[in-house]
Amino acid sequence: MTCQSFVFTRKKNVLFLRSFTILVLSWVIIKPEFCFSSVLSSLKALHLQGHITFENNEFAARDFGNQIHVHPLAVVHPKSVADISEIIKHVWQLGPGSELTVAARGHGHSLQGQAQARRGVIINMESLQGQEMQVYRGQFPYVDVSAGELWINILHETLKYGLAPKSWTDYLHLTVGGTLSNAGISGQAFRHGPQISNVHQLEVVTGKGEVLICSKEQNADLFHAVLGGLGQFGIITRARISLERAPRMVKWIRVLYSDFSTFARDQEHLISAAKTFDYIEGLVIKNKTGLMNNWRASFDPQDPVQASHFVSDGRTLYCLELTKNLYPEKSDTVNQMQEIEDLLSQLSYIPSTLFMSEVPYIEFLDRVHASELKLRSKGLWDLPHPWLNLLVPKSKIQHFAKEVFGNILKDTNNGPVLVYPIHKSKLDNRTSFVSPNEDIIYLVAFLSHANPSSSGTDSLEHVLTQNKRILDFCDVAHLGVKQYLPHYTTQEQWRTHFGPKWEVFVQRKSAYDPLAMLAPGQRIFQKAVSVS
């Protein structure tokens, strides 16, 4: 071979290699686009009673937490359960190669993007609102509702029959499916348990697209898996909720304590007494500005003279919030007030801080919405909400309070801090809900908001740092704390969270959602991805 021909051959080989490289790179680039195009086309070809949107879906990339914004590929607006079954069955049949995930989105009140799906499919559960609610009266009344229905709408409907659900969350503008996928805890839980303890039956679409009716007697494993299951085993589409007789009015009471031990002891006494209040919650008040003109505004002091002289002196105070139901057939208001006074006489609050009001039952239950409207009018509702919700065992609550309320928490101006006990016996251990293993557990909720443009104590960075300090303390002190509305970034953290329930959780996942495509925002079975 001559030198010239060698050079020419070499040039040909280089050109070939370059061409081959370009082809390979083109294939690498084009193949995902081809798959994406195929998936998109297959979704567009579906025949649903509702419809699918592929643009202007920014709402589905936001939630109440307002920290994580993940855009979906598509949003399904179902008109029936069949639509939800169809879309999930379609994704199931596409197989893992499509890499599609599916998330059910209710009122968007999640905190860490749990109802979002990166380039996946969002099912807008509120599209199912307006389906007929069926109220059944009798010895054991209940209501059948769509899982996309808001609790406030259920309250309005059931009150027409003199009935109401037994257990609530503090905020009623949430969907049934959303709260049942977590737990649904409020001040009635000490008596009735959380909302997941007051469900008779569910309709669920599994990760294979199957529509199953489940209860304690029928498909019981799925029933218990879905309750508190964080959306991992199926999408709740209907629920049968237990009802009770509804009061017309409630006596709404607030008293203050300066000592946490006394505050906790009184709460534990009340939740265990045979005769007690109907709602019991606690609130921490620390260095809060405008205390005198804040929570007292709508309450009448029982001793106006003493109340006007009360000064907090910068102390950390603990507010006990109570209600007693008033029923229209009980016309003897003297006896009702005597019962309330007898209950209050058993408590050791600061006497001059007894404030009381009488309001309609619905006004009390929907009290947070009134605050929401005020905040919206000032543009303060759609701020980041880096909430931290914990379940603390009774044996550790004093240690927790001393360090967290005494040292870590500097003030409560960024949002309320709730602390109140519930009985473990009111929880069904067969559900997916996880809590400390003690007879009494405390819900401690840091319901903070943050100013995204601030660099001070109301900044997002400050609140997140405070949350981390609290979690680090709980970990180092071995308090046995569990997160409520949990958020973790690694599967090892999730394993620790579930503890002995982890293996059952995994088995249920493999049975009802083998592709692990449901609720990707929880990041339990998916690899963590960067979000923007």
Side-chain angles (χ1 to χ4, degrees):
M1 180 184 297
T2 64
C3 182
Q4 186 177 2
S5 61
F6 173 79
V7 171
F8 177 73
T9 304
R10 187 179 176 202
K11 285 181 177 179
K12 285 178 63 179
N13 289 338
V14 169
L15 288 171
F16 171 76
L17 286 172
R18 285 179 178 172
S19 300
F20 178 76
T21 302
I22 292 169
L23 284 171
V24 170
L25 289 174
S26 299
W27 180 80
V28 170
I29 294 170
I30 291 171
K31 185 179 179 183
E33 290 181 352
F34 175 76
C35 292
F36 172 79
S37 177
S38 298
V39 168
L40 201 60
S41 297
S42 71
L43 291 173
K44 290 180 178 179
L46 289 175
H47 298 288
L48 305 177
Q49 296 175 48
H51 65 284
I52 305 178
T53 55
F54 298 91
E55 297 178 347
N56 301 319
N57 290 328
E58 287 75 13
F59 79 97
R62 299 177 64 87
D63 60 21
F64 182 69
N66 202 12
Q67 299 172 72
I68 295 175
H69 306 120
V70 176
H71 287 267
L73 171 64
V75 174
V76 178
H77 305 269
K79 286 298 180 187
S80 66
V81 175
D83 281 352
I84 298 174
S85 173
E86 181 70 19
I87 194 71
I88 294 179
K89 193 176 296 182
H90 177 73
V91 177
W92 161 257
Q93 291 171 347
L94 287 176
S98 74
E99 298 185 352
L100 275 183
T101 55
V102 180
R105 185 184 193 276
H107 202 56
H109 211 259
S110 55
L111 301 172
Q112 297 280 353
Q114 288 95 334
Q116 299 178 32
R118 187 181 187 85
R119 296 191 74 177
V121 176
I122 299 293
I123 298 180
N124 180 16
M125 298 300 293
E126 287 193 310
S127 291
L128 295 178
Q129 272 189 56
Q131 292 190 359
E132 184 182 3
M133 283 186 249
Q134 297 178 323
V135 178
Y136 294 84
R137 292 177 287 183
Q139 187 176 359
F140 303 103
Y142 61 84
V143 58
D144 281 334
V145 298
S146 162
E149 196 61 76
L150 298 180
W151 285 99
I152 182 63
N153 296 336
I154 296 170
L155 178 60
H156 282 296
E157 181 64 22
T158 55
L159 282 178
K160 295 175 183 177
Y161 301 86
L163 299 167
K166 300 174 181 178
S167 194
W168 297 96
T169 54
D170 287 331
Y171 181 57
L172 304 191
H173 295 251
L174 305 172
T175 59
V176 170
T179 63
L180 296 184
S181 294
N182 289 283
I185 301 176
S186 186
Q188 305 87 2
F190 78 93
R191 171 171 287 168
H192 298 295
Q195 290 178 324
I196 58 173
S197 296
N198 295 277
V199 182
H200 295 313
Q201 182 177 286
L202 297 171
E203 179 184 69
V204 176
V205 181
T206 71
K208 299 177 184 177
E210 301 170 302
V211 181
L212 298 175
I213 303 297
C214 56
S215 65
K216 291 180 180 179
E217 295 78 30
Q218 180 182 3
N219 295 313
D221 187 60
L222 177 61
F223 179 74
H224 293 117
V226 167
L227 293 173
L230 306 177
Q232 291 296 310
F233 310 107
I235 295 176
I236 301 171
T237 51
R238 285 193 72 79
R240 178 168 292 177
I241 309 296
S242 181
L243 301 176
E244 66 175 357
R245 182 180 51 146
R248 186 181 64 185
M249 306 288 288
V250 300
K251 191 67 76 171
W252 190 1
I253 301 161
R254 284 182 174 178
V255 293
L256 291 180
Y257 294 74
S258 58
D259 175 67
F260 182 81
S261 296
T262 306
F263 169 70
R265 185 183 68 234
D266 278 1
Q267 286 198 86
E268 290 171 17
H269 164 72
L270 287 176
I271 69 166
S272 303
K275 288 188 176 181
T276 189
F277 291 96
D278 297 294
Y279 165 96
I280 300 170
E281 279 197 13
L283 184 73
V284 181
I285 303 171
K286 183 167 184 177
N287 295 329
K288 186 172 178 64
T289 56
L291 171 61
M292 295 303 107
N293 297 317
N294 192 312
W295 65 273
R296 296 178 169 199
S298 58
F299 290 81
D300 298 320
Q302 298 307 289
D303 188 336
V305 176
Q306 285 196 57
S308 64
H309 288 93
F310 174 75
V311 180
S312 66
D313 293 326
R315 291 173 291 175
T316 299
L317 298 172
Y318 305 95
C319 176
L320 181 56
E321 187 171 46
L322 311 161
T323 69
K324 190 68 177 175
N325 293 342
L326 305 177
Y327 295 94
E329 64 270 23
K330 291 187 177 181
S331 57
D332 191 348
T333 56
V334 175
N335 284 342
Q336 290 183 65
M337 281 305 303
Q338 185 61 53
E339 184 179 355
I340 291 172
E341 289 176 8
D342 289 344
L343 289 171
L344 289 172
S345 70
Q346 302 168 26
L347 308 180
S348 301
Y349 56 86
I350 302 170
S352 61
T353 65
L354 173 58
F355 280 69
M356 196 176 300
S357 181
E358 188 172 313
V359 298
Y361 182 56
I362 191 169
E363 181 179 322
F364 168 73
L365 288 180
D366 203 28
R367 63 199 179 281
V368 177
H369 184 55
S371 299
E372 174 190 352
L373 295 177
K374 293 178 182 178
L375 291 171
R376 284 191 182 278
S377 68
K378 299 177 182 179
L380 297 176
W381 182 255
D382 295 320
L383 294 173
H385 292 90
W387 286 8
L388 177 64
N389 296 269
L390 303 175
L391 297 167
V392 183
K394 172 190 169 182
S395 65
K396 306 295 184 181
I397 192 62
Q398 299 293 338
H399 188 189
F400 179 93
K402 182 178 180 180
E403 175 61 22
V404 175
F405 303 149
N407 296 320
I408 297 177
L409 185 69
K410 300 305 180 184
D411 63 59
T412 55
N413 288 300
N414 292 336
V417 176
L418 308 181
V419 51
Y420 57 92
I422 60 175
H423 290 287
K424 175 81 171 183
S425 61
K426 300 298 181 180
L427 305 172
D428 190 333
N429 194 48
R430 293 171 294 181
T431 69
S432 296
F433 181 62
V434 176
S435 65
N437 191 25
E438 286 196 9
D439 292 340
I440 292 178
I441 55 180
Y442 275 80
L443 174 68
V444 185
F446 301 86
L447 308 182
S448 305
H449 61 262
N451 183 346
S453 61
S454 172
S455 58
T457 57
D458 61 342
S459 69
L460 180 59
E461 182 181 2
H462 174 83
V463 178
L464 291 175
T465 299
Q466 178 178 276
N467 288 351
K468 186 177 186 304
R469 286 187 63 194
I470 294 170
L471 290 172
D472 287 347
F473 161 70
C474 293
D475 186 44
V476 171
H478 304 291
L479 300 188
V481 167
K482 296 292 184 182
Q483 285 192 35
Y484 174 53
L485 310 179
H487 169 68
Y488 301 102
T489 56
T490 69
Q491 192 173 100
E492 188 56 39
Q493 290 172 322
W494 281 109
R495 290 173 68 100
T496 301
H497 171 76
F498 284 105
K501 284 190 170 186
W502 173 250
E503 293 304 326
V504 173
F505 197 85
V506 172
Q507 290 170 9
R508 286 171 167 174
K509 183 70 170 179
S510 64
Y512 302 116
D513 181 26
L515 291 186
M517 68 178 179
L518 294 179
Q522 297 284 1
R523 288 185 279 180
I524 301 178
F525 295 98
Q526 280 80 25
K527 293 181 180 178
V529 295
S530 60
V531 294
S532 58

